[in-house]
Each structure stands twice: as structure tokens, then as C-alpha cells.
Amino acid sequence: MHINEQLQAAELRVELGDRSYPIWIGSKLVERLGELCLSKQLSTKSPMMIITDTHVEALHLSTAKQSLEAAGYRVAVHVVPAGESSKSLSHLEACITTALEAGLDRKSAVVALGGGVVGDLAGFVAASYMRGVRFIQVPTTILAHDSSVGGKVAVNHPLAKNIIGAFYQPEMVVYDTSTLLTLPLREVRAGLAEMLKHGLIWDQRFADWCLEHADELLSLREEVLQYGLYAGCAVKAQVVSKDEREQDLRAILNLGHTIGHALEAVGQYGELLHGEAISIGMIGSAMLAERLGEAADILPYTRRMIEAFGLPTQIPASYDTEDIMSAMMHDKKFSEGEMVFVVPTAIGKVEIRRDVPVALVREIVDELKGGARG
Amino acid sequence: MHINEQLQAAELRVELGDRSYPIWIGSKLVERLGELCLSKQLSTKSPMMIITDTHVEALHLSTAKQSLEAAGYRVAVHVVPAGESSKSLSHLEACITTALEAGLDRKSAVVALGGGVVGDLAGFVAASYMRGVRFIQVPTTILAHDSSVGGKVAVNHPLAKNIIGAFYQPEMVVYDTSTLLTLPLREVRAGLAEMLKHGLIWDQRFADWCLEHADELLSLREEVLQYGLYAGCAVKAQVVSKDEREQDLRAILNLGHTIGHALEAVGQYGELLHGEAISIGMIGSAMLAERLGEAADILPYTRRMIEAFGLPTQIPASYDTEDIMSAMMHDKKFSEGEMVFVVPTAIGKVEIRRDVPVALVREIVDELKGGARG
């Protein structure tokens, strides 16, 4: 973990040529947001806008705003309701109304203060306002260690999630681990699921480390959390650096997501958290690996990992197999008759398989429901 | 003018590294749209979507659609009402509904068949659908020779025009000059105003050529029009190649636009056409050049040119000077106390002046209304 002494925080870089940017990870960084913005040469002449939600507003908005104002910035604020429904074009329009009324210009910055929903919405505001202004991610959930890195921003359409958006990289990601200390346990577990995924797709040593430090991560020991987020973001950053626009490699980040997205859809996005759904999906992928003759330790290892974090390994019995299959068929990752799946080939290694028989997937979904074997 | 023998059309390239693209200019190219799409390796496996408006639908949609279908493409169509009000987020959402229902995927293309409104809307649909799909411009107005090149796409917000958008380059521009032959004369004149601007900012020989061929251009002699559009697009392409994201040079394309946009706003976008407004603006810029001590021939030359094309040289008397000034102050190009103006320094040459006194601009606006001198 590289520590920047001057800023007293861990520093990681996402390498994307002239769009490269730093990720800062440390305690109480929201208090120093103004200083960090000055260090990125963000002009104090142009007003800024913080976008946050009703939940985070109560916890961290005044700290963030005061820090920016102390550094000399004029700050407008736009608060959206907490929850997925704020990722809509009508909320986008409302954010832009606030930006116009506050006089944001081409040199202004939009700050996302919140979890994945706020980051995705604010990112698309930053990408589209005046055809693009500067963008700063201040994630306040564990899950957002994934979504705040990589530049995928979007809002939802009534017929499809994340379908209206852009690839738009932030200027910096400011990750204040002290904002994570108030998260409810179920959200902590679900957020850590993406961290486990980063180990499973890319880095066996990191996967082993996660397994060894499960209890400390779950009890939010801040320095352990900082290392985990650092290593998780590092995997994401490397993958994104090699394939910013999801032409090929970036698809490996979808481990567990084909089944996971289908489960979220069938539960109408209200039953399973994203991290819970992809945990079940990762078990499914490991079962697939076993059937396809990959290394024998993948399935038991994955199961041990998911269980260590108290995440679910089975599909709720009430979910209909055909509903799940049909939700998967509508997934963007499905193409022309055979299914595309991210399949583990070892611990810390996956490949994209485009030849997975639909019948085999159906079998695995059935087993994930009944727990017959696997 | 470079002629591509195989495609029997003039070919121009916009050089932008891996985002470079061709502009085809020729007669009856809409009939050959399918062939041109095949030549760009657009997959026939993924459905396409044509976005057009109620006016162009009646004239050219069936030709375009048949040509694409004959080449093997499945084609969905989305028609918006003709007029500026279609550049809205709600029309964007409706376009995306059509795209989802037609099953457009990441390899699909969106085709803009129409003028600037359709191009701007369809371009932002292409930029944001699934975070970006392929985009083809098929302009059907003279004015769109300007807007279809350069990748500026956007929709309007109730408080500001073009404020929600992206820089998003098309895959190709297919300019069928036979679609221009049915344009009403007032629109022809107004469309040619941007062509004159391209001469005035960049290329004295082209400006002279426009002046010499005014009558042939106005009477829509197709081969003369083709050369004019070719040369006009060439200027735009060169400027955009050097400054895609409007950091500096690209601002010269705003000659006449500071005053012009203000006049459009005061007339509530219903009285003056864009080309008419910038014609008056170009006279204003030439008057400014005179006051600032630039070459003496600029103002009489500009006036002769605008008059030769039957375009207006005066602000309607009913427009209030203070309304115009205040609309200009809200313009994106105004910054901190002094006004930014594109000022001619010779025929075919301009510079960006950031030190233009507001009082001088007010004087010129007053004269443009009364015609006292200039």
C-alpha cells in the first residue's frame, strides 16, 4: 500500500493516459475535501455542486461543505431521495436545474457524496452538463469501492437499469473509511462481496487475505478495511486501465453478475442486495467451473469464502427457475443462442466462456435453489 | 475536392486519431445508405434505429429505410415532431424506449436523418444508449453541414439550450445534396450563412468563391452546392481536428454567435432563424473589428457578402438593446467583467479577444438596430 506522506492517505492511481486519476483512501478525508480539491487545481472561481442523498446528507454533508468552503469554494447542494429510484432522467434534469441556478460553468466540478446510486447519477450529471465538467467521487459505502472506480456512470430507464449513461472518469476518488463505520452489518457484508470478487478474479493472495481477515473486515477495523479497499480498488484499476470501454477484459468484472442480476430482477430489486445476489452468482460460477472440468478446489474455496462473510449461497426457494432463466436471457451479456459466462479457472483467475449450454445453467440454477449438491 | 471513385461521391476526412471519420457528399446518397453502412463494417446482426422528424419522414424516410433493409439491416424508426422542442430529455427517453423495444445492442447504430435538431438529439441518444453505440449523421439541411460535423450533441433544458450533451463523433456523415433541393428559400439563405462564416474565419479564397457563386448557391445548383458544402465542412473538420473539446481554437467557430445567440433568445427562437441571427452577428463582429483598428476592408466585404445572400444586416427595431445585452451576459462565452468576442483581423482570419469593452458592444448593438452608420 503506497502512502502519500503529504496527504496522509493511501494513494492508488488509475492509469488511463491523460484521463489518469488518483484514489485516496484514509480516515476522515471528508474533513479534508477542500484541501484535496485545491491539490487537484480545481479553481475556486467556479462554483461547485455536491450531489448527495437524504441519508448521507444527515451524516456527512455539513462536514464536506464546510471543508470545501473553508478552502474558498462556493458550494451548491442538490439532495435526492435515498434509493435506486433517484437514478432517473427526471432527477438528472433536477440536478442540472440546480447547477444552472448556481451558475456552474465549464470549469466547475460536481461532487458525488454517497453510495453507488449517488455516484452513478452525479457522474452522468458531470458527464453531460455543458458536455462535461470535472467530477469527484466521495464514496460512503463499501460497495462503492467498486462503482466509484472505472468511470461507468448512468441512470435507469423504466425498462432497463443503467441503460442511459457514459464512460466518464472522475478527477479523483476520495475514500474516507470513517464514513463506513456507521453502515448496518447487512450492507457491510454485501459491500464486501465485490471485494471478494476482486480477489477471486485476479489475485489469489488477496483472496486468501480476505478469508483470513473476514472477522476484522466485518467488524470494520479501519486499517484492515483500508488495506482491503486499497487492494480491491487496485484490481479494478488494473482491469479498467487495460480496457476502459468494456471491449473485452473488463467483462471479467462480471463474475457472478449474470446470475446475480437475474436474481435482483426476479426479486424486483427489493429482496436481495446487489452483493448478496452476486454472492449466490459466484457460487453458481464456481459450480459451472466444476462441471466444465476446471480445478477441483474452486467450488469449496468459493463456498468457504462466501460463508465466512455471512453471505447467502442459495437462491430463495420462492424464486421460479424459468423466471430466472428468462431474466438472464435479457441480460446484455447473453448473445445468440449460447450463454456467455465468466468462469473461474483457478483461485484468482477467470476466463470468459461463450459456449456455456443453457441446459447446464438451468441445472445449476435448480441446484442453487434446492441445495441438492454443489 | 477529393472524389472517391468507388462510392461516386466527394470524400472528406475528419482527422481525430482513432475517432476519425469520413464525410461523403454527393447526389442521391440516401438511396445508397445501406451500401455505405456495409462499407463501414456495421454489423447486419444488430438492429439499427433511424431517428427523424415528422417533416423529413414524409420526404426521405422510406428511401433511407429501404436502402438499409436491402443491405440486410433490421431497422427500427423513431419519429419526433419537427422543431426545437424535440431536443428534450423526454424525447431522449422516448427514443431509448424504441431502442430497447427493438432490441438495439452495443453493436447497433443510431442514424440521424434530418436537420440540426434531429442530429443533436439522435447524437445524444447514440452517445448515452448503453454508454455509447455507433452513430451516423445523414443531414438533410444546409445548416446541418455545420452541426453534423464535429461531434457536439445535446438536448435542451427548460432554462438553457444545448446544456445536456456530449462530445460524440459520428461513424460517418452521409450528405445527400438532393435532399436539399426541396428546402424553402429562406432556409437555404439561412443555412448558407454558416458556410459564409467558414470562409470568413479560415479561408479567404473560399469566401471569395462564395461571393462569386451566390446566385448558383441560392438556386441550389447541385454541383456548386456540393463544392460549397465540401469546402465548408473542410474548414469545420480542420478546426475540430485541432481542438475537439473546445479548449481554445474551436471557439473561432463562434464568429457572429455571441450577438446571434442573444438575438435568437430575445426573439424567443421564433423570429430569426439561426443563420439570420448570426448574419447580423457577423456584421456586428466586423463593426467591432473596425473600431478595434483591424483591416478597413473587413466591414464592407462582410456586408457585401451577407447582402449577396439576401441575409439580414440589421437587428429588428422592436428588440430592446438592454434585453440583448443581458442575453449576451448569460452566454457561456462571457467571462468575468470583460466580453469575449471572435473578431476578424482580415478576410479569412479571426482572433479571440477577451478584452472587448461592454460599452463598445452596446454601441454596436445600438447601431445595428438603427443603422446609423457602419
Side-chain angles (χ1 to χ4, degrees), chain B residues 90-338:
Chain B
S90 63
H91 281 288
L92 175 84
E93 183 162 86
C95 289
I96 286 177
T97 305
T98 302
L100 284 167
E101 288 175 349
L104 266 75
D105 61 37
R106 290 179 180 175
K107 291 181 175 162
S108 289
V110 171
V111 178
L113 178 68
V117 166
V118 164
D120 282 4
L121 170 66
F124 194 45
V125 170
S128 59
Y129 182 67
M130 293 188 170
R131 301 194 180 87
V133 296
R134 300 173 89 169
F135 175 42
I136 294 158
Q137 285 271 23
V138 187
T140 60
T141 65
I142 296 175
L143 190 65
H145 92 280
D146 180 50
S147 60
S148 67
V149 177
K152 274 189 169 185
V153 298
V155 298
N156 301 329
H157 179 282
L159 298 177
K161 282 189 67 167
N162 292 327
I163 211 77
I164 310 172
F167 290 96
Y168 198 73
Q169 302 296 340
E171 201 76 26
M172 63 176 166
V173 180
V174 178
Y175 213 142
D176 179 348
T177 48
S178 46
T179 65
L180 308 174
L181 304 181
T182 52
L183 291 172
L185 182 60
R186 187 179 168 197
E187 262 191 51
V188 171
R189 294 187 199 284
L192 291 169
E194 292 277 9
M195 190 187 287
L196 306 184
K197 182 201 75 179
H198 287 133
L200 288 172
I201 62 170
W202 197 257
D203 185 346
Q204 175 167 14
R205 278 171 49 195
F206 177 48
D208 289 346
W209 179 91
C210 288
L211 203 46
E212 280 155 29
H213 293 80
D215 292 341
E216 288 157 288
L217 286 167
L218 287 167
S219 59
L220 299 169
R221 272 209 32 211
E222 216 175 334
E223 66 284 13
V224 178
L225 208 49
Q226 280 165 12
Y227 178 77
L229 293 170
Y230 183 90
C233 288
V235 171
K236 179 83 183 257
Q238 287 173 64
V239 173
V240 168
S241 294
K242 290 181 180 160
D243 175 27
E244 184 182 7
R245 297 182 72 88
E246 197 160 354
Q247 304 297 308
D248 39 57
L249 179 69
R250 190 164 176 161
I252 70 170
L253 296 168
N254 290 322
L255 177 71
H257 281 59
T258 304
I259 292 175
H261 280 157
L263 298 179
E264 285 181 275
V266 171
Q268 299 187 292
Y269 301 97
E271 295 182 16
L272 291 168
L273 296 177
H274 178 68
E276 294 168 345
I278 67 157
S279 294
I280 303 168
M282 288 192 284
I283 300 282
S285 306
M287 288 164 69
L288 206 50
E290 187 186 55
R291 304 301 167 84
L292 295 170
E294 304 293 350
D297 61 338
I298 296 170
L299 180 55
Y301 184 97
T302 306
R303 189 178 291 284
R304 196 157 75 244
M305 198 163 198
I306 302 292
E307 285 172 349
F309 284 84
L311 286 159
T313 56
Q314 290 202 349
I315 297 175
S318 62
Y319 284 31
D320 183 72
T321 302
E322 289 317 307
D323 288 351
I324 297 167
M325 294 306 294
S326 126
M328 254 186 279
M329 301 299 175
H330 282 97
D331 196 277
K332 290 192 287 288
K333 284 168 284 300
F334 172 73
S335 86
E336 290 169 37
E338 298 196 299

Side-chain angles (χ1 to χ4, degrees), chain B residues 3-80:
Chain B
I3 305 290
N4 181 304
E5 294 299 336
Q6 197 191 337
L7 294 161
Q8 297 169 293
E11 179 184 4
L12 190 67
R13 276 191 76 75
V14 183
E15 297 296 347
L16 285 166
D18 59 1
R19 292 187 308 291
S20 296
Y21 56 93
I23 303 171
W24 304 104
I25 301 171
S27 196
K28 301 200 182 295
L29 292 184
V30 170
E31 292 174 14
R32 294 164 52 211
L33 188 55
E35 172 194 342
L36 292 166
C37 287
L38 290 175
S39 80
K40 284 293 291 181
Q41 270 92 42
L42 289 175
S43 165
T44 55
K45 287 187 188 163
S46 298
M48 275 192 183
M49 175 167 69
I50 297 176
I51 297 177
T52 190
D53 70 21
T54 44
H55 181 65
V56 177
E57 177 190 20
L59 298 166
H60 309 298
L61 176 61
S62 66
T63 310
K65 192 159 182 274
Q66 276 164 26
S67 170
L68 289 169
E69 287 173 345
Y73 294 101
R74 278 172 297 148
V75 183
V77 173
H78 188 92
V79 182
V80 296

Side-chain angles (χ1 to χ4, degrees), chain A residues 23-177:
Chain A
I23 303 171
W24 304 105
I25 301 171
S27 195
K28 299 199 181 297
L29 292 184
V30 171
E31 291 174 15
R32 293 163 53 211
L33 189 55
E35 173 195 340
L36 293 167
C37 287
L38 290 174
S39 80
K40 284 294 291 181
Q41 271 91 42
L42 289 175
S43 165
T44 55
K45 287 186 188 163
S46 298
M48 274 192 185
M49 176 166 68
I50 298 175
I51 298 178
T52 190
D53 69 20
T54 45
H55 181 66
V56 178
E57 177 190 21
L59 297 167
H60 310 298
L61 176 62
S62 66
T63 310
K65 191 159 182 275
Q66 277 164 24
S67 171
L68 289 169
E69 286 173 346
Y73 294 101
R74 278 173 296 149
V75 183
V77 173
H78 188 92
V79 183
V80 296
E84 184 77 20
S85 66
S86 289
K87 275 176 62 176
S88 71
L89 283 178
S90 63
H91 282 288
L92 176 85
E93 183 162 86
C95 289
I96 285 177
T97 305
T98 301
L100 284 166
E101 287 174 349
L104 266 75
D105 60 37
R106 289 177 180 178
K107 292 183 176 161
S108 289
V110 171
V111 179
L113 178 68
V117 166
V118 164
D120 282 4
L121 169 67
F124 194 45
V125 170
S128 59
Y129 182 67
M130 293 187 170
R131 300 192 181 88
V133 295
R134 300 174 88 170
F135 175 42
I136 294 159
Q137 286 269 25
V138 187
T140 62
T141 64
I142 296 175
L143 191 64
H145 93 278
D146 180 49
S147 59
S148 65
V149 177
K152 274 188 169 185
V153 298
V155 297
N156 301 328
H157 179 281
L159 298 178
K161 283 190 67 169
N162 293 327
I163 210 76
I164 310 172
F167 289 96
Y168 197 72
Q169 302 297 339
E171 200 75 28
M172 62 176 165
V173 179
V174 178
Y175 212 142
D176 179 348
T177 48

Side-chain angles (χ1 to χ4, degrees), chain A residues 186-202:
Chain A
R186 186 180 170 199
E187 262 191 50
V188 170
R189 291 187 200 285
L192 291 169
E194 291 279 8
M195 190 187 286
L196 306 184
K197 182 201 76 180
H198 287 134
L200 289 172
I201 63 171
W202 196 257

